[in-house]
Amino acid sequence: MCGIVGYTGFKEANTILIDGLKKLEYRGYDSAGIALQLEGKLKITKAAGSVADLESKMDEGDSEVKVGIGHTRWATHGRPTDENAHPHYSCCEKFAVIHNGIIENHQALRQWLKEETGHEFRSETDTEVLAHLVEEYYKDDLLEAVRNAVARVEGSYAMVVISSHEPERLVCARQDSPLIVGLGEDENFVASDIPALLAHTRKTKILEDGEFASITPEQVEIFDAEGKSIDKEVFEITWDIESAEKGGYEHFMLKEIMEQPAVAKETMRQRIDPANGRVKLDEINLTDEEIQTLDNIYIVACGTAYHAGLLGKAVLEDLAGIPVEVDVASEFRYRRPIFKENQLVIVISQSGETADTLAALRMARQKGVKVLAITNVVGSSVSREADEVLYTWAGPEIAVASTKAYLTQLVALYLVAIYFGELRGYLASEKADELVKGLKELPGQLEQVLSEESLAKLHKYCEHLSKWDNAFFVGRNLDYPVAREGALKLKEISYIHAEAYAAGELKHGPLALIVDGVPVVALITQKAVYDKTLSNIQEVNARGGAVFAITMEGNDDVAEQVESVFYLPPVNDVLAPVLAAVPTQLIAYYTALARGSSVDKPRNLAKSVTVE
Ligand code: M6R
């Protein structure tokens, strides 16, 4: 995830900025850069790679400087290169900008800036338009120029701008991306995250959406969207560096679970046309004809991404009418899959570097089959080698157990299924409208699922679960892939052996293992198979199994059958897996905590499996 640091004061800015960027390295990034106010000019130094690479490019004279901004970039628009790293100059090089977030209308703005006002661009990024817009609107006040620039912008931003016209000043703006001002004595700071500030100050002012800040060594002024000055309270930070890195949470995994409402929204952003509510996947270059004539899709992935693929199969078949086969990449690559004439392979990979997934992708391409990659990492091997890429915008995932990346994979698959379904004339537009409406409601519903009140319900059951060495996850229809992923999560971090079964399979064998107290997590969200699943729950109950049910609000008869119930807000059945996944993640998390396991770095596992 991108990181921002800014400084204006009396100390060596370059040291403060480099140290601040190092404190943000844990968030993941692929390039870094710094802009300094040097003898009446702005000097930008950038490097693809690490902050250490950037440091090695700095000159000795840089230490004279007292004002500057620094950035670590996690590539979104444009590959991770020196040119695309932030800060970005405007044409005259009198303005430099760093930015976290996504400028949705950057293409239209770029075109306007090039054609109407003659600006020339140096990078492929969406951010660079901000630098040119600020230059375009600058008269004699940087804050005014930034206000006018962001008035043209659609999207999310935390941005900091400096100008050689006003050498002591940092001007900041925030919308949907965090920005915190750090208060010092004759010096002030700004950062996207608290760890970058902690070595210097614990006194902060936190910007809200729509707010601007003007920062000099002596003064911090904050303004609302209308330009009215705001008297903001000082927020004193009490966290130590370790909890600050985790946003105050005990583990990265919990932080990442809590980020899911935001990343679900981010993954939908720009992919639903606000004008007509239609899904639009502009980044996919498959022709309408190619999509309309598809005979078959293979989804290939590993681990959690494979489980996302299982759901992808169900929704692509249901909404787009395309037969789909799903395979784990380590098997697929050594099989001789039979490709149809109009075939597509979809590979799913958070890291974009998983060796088996990459090999499967290469094999399909060698056979002349087009590959669409759903991945989270811009510039990853998978993204570079696939024919088409659809990015999940989950941001870097640090915990080994995948949570937010999985959730965004589900969202991406819904978008593909709706898009393909409408293009193929298989999905009626009323049904598509209903699903798009449902998708847009998911971030708010995820917030509800993550409320403290909901979380409290999980603790008691997890205490029980933590005392067992075996558990089951069951569900039918779309609940089944969620059960598979829930079982994997529990295994991975609590080391409890968990198995997922299609609920109807219980009586074909595993029911023999259900005795008093055996933990069974039952997903029961699908109306079409509700009664059937309820009967399966009764079968478990009758043998003394301890059932934790995950179901929709209003399904009160479930509560009569089981020990504990977790209710999800009402949602279209097709989209229920997005909400249902969350309590299963939290069950794994709280159970692992109760067992004292290493949550973020489970034994024997690596975040990215780049070997066979
Ligand atoms: O980076 P990828 O999505 O390709 O990784 C695939 C699996 O290794 C990964 O999902 C793994 O199963 C996770 N640790 C699960 O939490």
Side-chain angles (χ1 to χ4, degrees), residues 570-586:
V571 63
N572 188 308
D573 279 15
V574 177
L575 304 175
V578 174
L579 302 185
V582 178
T584 68
Q585 297 167 344
L586 288 161

Side-chain angles (χ1 to χ4, degrees), residues 125-379:
T125 64
D126 54 332
T127 299
E128 196 183 338
V129 299
L130 295 172
H132 295 283
L133 282 173
V134 171
E135 177 180 310
E136 194 55 35
Y137 287 115
Y138 187 80
K139 292 201 178 74
D140 53 9
D141 178 11
L142 189 57
L143 178 64
E144 197 52 32
V146 171
R147 282 171 52 82
N148 286 327
V150 301
R152 300 282 312 269
V153 160
E154 288 159 24
S156 58
Y157 48 82
M159 63 187 274
V160 187
V161 187
I162 56 172
S163 168
S164 53
H165 292 300
E166 302 180 35
E168 292 202 320
R169 197 179 192 194
L170 313 175
V171 171
C172 319
R174 174 204 155 132
Q175 181 66 45
D176 285 340
S177 191
L179 207 52
I180 305 148
V181 178
L183 308 173
E185 288 287 321
D186 297 325
E187 60 178 353
N188 288 303
F189 309 79
V190 64
S192 53
D193 298 85
I194 289 166
L197 299 175
L198 282 186
H200 311 286
T201 181
R202 289 183 171 268
K203 289 193 169 49
T204 64
K205 292 194 173 187
I206 298 175
L207 293 194
E208 302 295 338
D209 283 348
E211 291 181 350
F212 297 83
S214 166
I215 308 172
T216 61
E218 298 79 28
Q219 201 179 20
V220 170
E221 294 172 285
I222 298 180
F223 303 91
D224 68 12
E226 276 73 48
K228 220 169 72 217
S229 169
I230 307 173
D231 193 12
K232 232 178 218 293
E233 270 186 34
V234 174
F235 179 73
E236 186 98 26
I237 298 183
T238 51
W239 299 339
D240 59 21
I241 186 80
E242 207 190 314
S243 42
E245 285 183 352
K246 293 169 188 152
Y249 294 105
E250 207 178 330
H251 296 99
F252 282 112
M253 182 178 174
L254 188 57
K255 175 173 179 273
E256 287 159 7
I257 290 172
M258 294 298 178
E259 283 169 359
Q260 292 182 117
V263 297
K265 192 170 168 194
E266 208 52 53
T267 301
M268 282 179 241
R269 197 190 278 279
Q270 283 187 289
R271 289 168 174 160
I272 297 173
D273 192 335
N276 56 18
R278 299 261 84 79
V279 172
K280 56 176 182 98
L281 300 181
D282 296 342
E283 59 263 68
I284 294 184
N285 298 308
L286 294 171
T287 64
D288 290 2
E289 199 195 336
E290 278 175 306
I291 294 168
Q292 280 152 358
T293 55
L294 278 176
D295 293 325
N296 182 274
I297 296 178
Y298 267 109
I299 300 182
V300 186
C302 300
T304 288
Y306 166 73
H307 293 148
L310 291 177
L311 188 88
K313 168 184 167 69
V315 295
L316 275 158
E317 290 185 342
D318 186 29
L319 306 180
I322 310 171
V324 180
E325 290 177 56
V326 194
D327 210 344
V328 285
S330 55
E331 289 297 316
F332 181 84
R333 64 182 290 194
Y334 293 114
R335 288 204 292 118
R336 287 195 294 151
I338 298 163
F339 292 125
K340 295 274 167 31
E341 198 183 323
N342 297 314
Q343 177 76 50
L344 178 69
V345 167
I346 299 180
V347 295
I348 308 175
S349 173
Q350 185 285 129
S351 60
E353 302 296 347
T354 301
D356 285 322
T357 308
L358 197 54
L361 175 160
R362 287 177 182 151
M363 184 212 343
R365 292 203 72 224
Q366 259 164 21
K367 304 252 184 246
V369 176
K370 275 210 174 163
V371 176
L372 163 65
I374 295 180
T375 183
N376 196 36
V377 181
V378 176

